[in-house]
Amino acid sequence: MNSEANQKDKGKEGGKKDLIRDWIILLLSAIGAVVLLSFFPGKVEPTTSTALNYLTEMAWILPAVMILMGLFKVWVSKEMVIKYLGKASGLKGILIAALLGSTPTGPLYVAFPLAAAMIDKGARILNIVVFLSAWACIKIPQEMIEIQFLGLKFMAARLVLTVLLVSVMGLVIEKIIESTGSISPELE
Amino acid sequence: MSSTATIINGLAVLGLAISFFNGKEKTLRSLKVAGKSFFKILPMVLIIVVLVGLLLGFVPPSQIEKLFGAQSGLLGVVTIGAAGAILHIPSLIAFPLAGSLRESGASVAATAAFITTLTMIGTVYLPVEIKILGKKFALLRNGLSFLAALAISLLMGLIL
């Protein structure tokens, strides 16, 4: 699973390799499931009915989620993110950071260079922390999947608590970094 | 179709319409990106479908409840939170898994801990984060994220 970390360095070939790996894992788990179930015929019914249930739920939402992610990816540019976050401050800054982090798609390592660029431009550490955390765990399409499988109340409570706690965490990190010198990105 | 699915599909259609109105070419590009990501994530989704089926088919809810249920307390939350921090599962796919744990008797706090550490902490990305944002920032962020995730989960357990 470590391969994902250096995905940045590999081109299309690497993506294809990952895809082939995923299909092989799927094949193996399917074979494993069939073998296991052949030993426990009594478990066939509950297992397949749960699996089918999940499959239908995913089939209803996954295409739409993918379309929303595709739209975000094309319409929300990195330049836009840097431009808006660089000058935001206060409570508004936190909200903008959360919003900007939650709309673009892509793995977390895409966000690191953006964060470094924003620090260079003088953005607050607090906002950077909120931005990175939002990028990592508040994605609008994902929130919808969360509603689907865990319910609206669960998702809403987790969302609000996450923004609150991440802001507190951002303040703490900002204080620590400010009191111990600069953050020195790209120097270590 | 559940109401959530209706809303998501409605939003997708609305988004597409607005996008199309503002730029045909960009809309086509979005759809291409969407198609590509769909096929990229498809095997993972199917793997989770198989695993969730087996999990619910074989592991009795009483077992899950014992490990991660309300009476498992802080230990259950910390254990599942640590698992979430180390594991590297795309969060899109983690929600169905978390949903099945919850259905089988895992507590709200344990479910929230799993999802939150899974998404918030990227152990796999830590080397890249250190390289780009510095050791101090990266370690502080990931370390405090674990504490924040635990706090979020315990508060969720109290609220819901």
Side-chain angles (χ1 to χ4, degrees), chain A residues 36-65:
Chain A
L36 197 61
L37 288 174
S38 66
F39 285 109
F40 301 93
K43 304 279 190 195
V44 172
E45 206 285 314
T47 303
T48 46
S49 70
T50 324
L52 279 179
N53 210 350
Y54 272 86
L55 189 63
T56 8
E57 274 188 67
M58 281 307 246
W60 275 117
I61 50 175
L62 204 57
V65 167

Side-chain angles (χ1 to χ4, degrees), chain A residues 1-8 12 15 19 21-23 25-26 29-30 32-33 36-37 40 43 46-48 50-52 54-55 58 60-71 73-75 107-109 112-113 115-116 119 125 128-129 132-133 136-137 141-150 153-155 157-158 161-162 165-166 169 172-173 176-177 180-188, chain B residues 1-2 4-5 7-9 11-12 15-16 18-20 22-23 26-27 29-31 33-47 49-54 56-58 87-93 95-103 108 111-112 115-116 119-122 124-126 128-137 140-141 144-145 147-149 151-152 155-156 159-160:
Chain A
M1 294 206 180
N2 249 330
S3 65
E4 234 115 322
N6 42 39
Q7 222 164 39
K8 202 164 68 173
K12 260 191 171 157
L19 195 59
R21 182 203 59 195
D22 288 350
W23 281 109
I25 297 176
L26 171 61
S29 40
L36 197 61
L37 288 174
F40 301 93
K43 304 279 190 195
T47 303
T48 46
T50 324
L52 279 179
Y54 272 86
L55 189 63
M58 281 307 246
W60 275 117
I61 50 175
L62 204 57
V65 167
M66 290 298 150
I67 287 176
L68 286 172
M69 285 170 71
L71 287 172
K73 192 164 201 167
V74 171
W75 286 101
L108 192 55
Y109 60 71
F112 296 146
I119 293 175
I125 301 284
I128 299 298
V129 172
L132 283 178
S133 305
C137 58
Q142 282 166 18
E143 299 306 308
M144 295 176 172
I145 297 209
E146 183 167 2
I147 297 178
Q148 172 90 349
F149 287 97
L150 290 160
K153 250 162 88 190
F154 188 97
M155 172 271 190
R158 212 174 65 85
L161 285 172
T162 302
L165 279 242
V166 158
M169 181 174 94
V172 171
I173 293 179
I176 294 177
I177 284 182
T180 57
S182 78
I183 165 164
S184 65
E186 272 168 321
L187 287 181
E188 302 197 29
Chain B
M1 190 156 45
S2 73
T4 317
I7 293 170
I8 297 176
N9 283 285
L11 277 177
L16 273 179
I18 294 172
S19 172
F20 191 78
N22 285 297
K26 271 190 164 178
T27 312
R29 201 142 41 96
S30 310
L31 284 174
V33 171
K36 251 194 210 157
S37 345
F38 180 79
F39 285 106
K40 223 164 111 189
I41 206 167
L42 187 62
M44 284 281 217
V45 170
L46 296 176
I47 292 169
V49 164
V50 173
L51 290 183
V52 165
L54 288 177
L56 293 194
F58 279 85
L87 284 175
H88 189 62
I89 311 172
S91 44
L92 269 184
I93 294 168
F95 289 116
L97 192 60
S100 70
L101 284 175
R102 175 91 187 93
E103 255 169 53
V108 170
T111 313
I115 286 286
T116 310
T119 47
M120 214 193 249
I121 303 167
V124 182
Y125 298 137
L126 193 57
V128 192
E129 185 169 355
I130 289 176
K131 207 170 138 202
I132 300 179
L133 291 167
K135 203 184 251 168
K136 205 193 314 180
F137 182 89
L140 273 174
R141 199 186 71 84
L144 288 178
S145 285
L147 295 181
I152 291 169
L155 285 172
M156 291 223 14
I159 296 174
L160 298 183

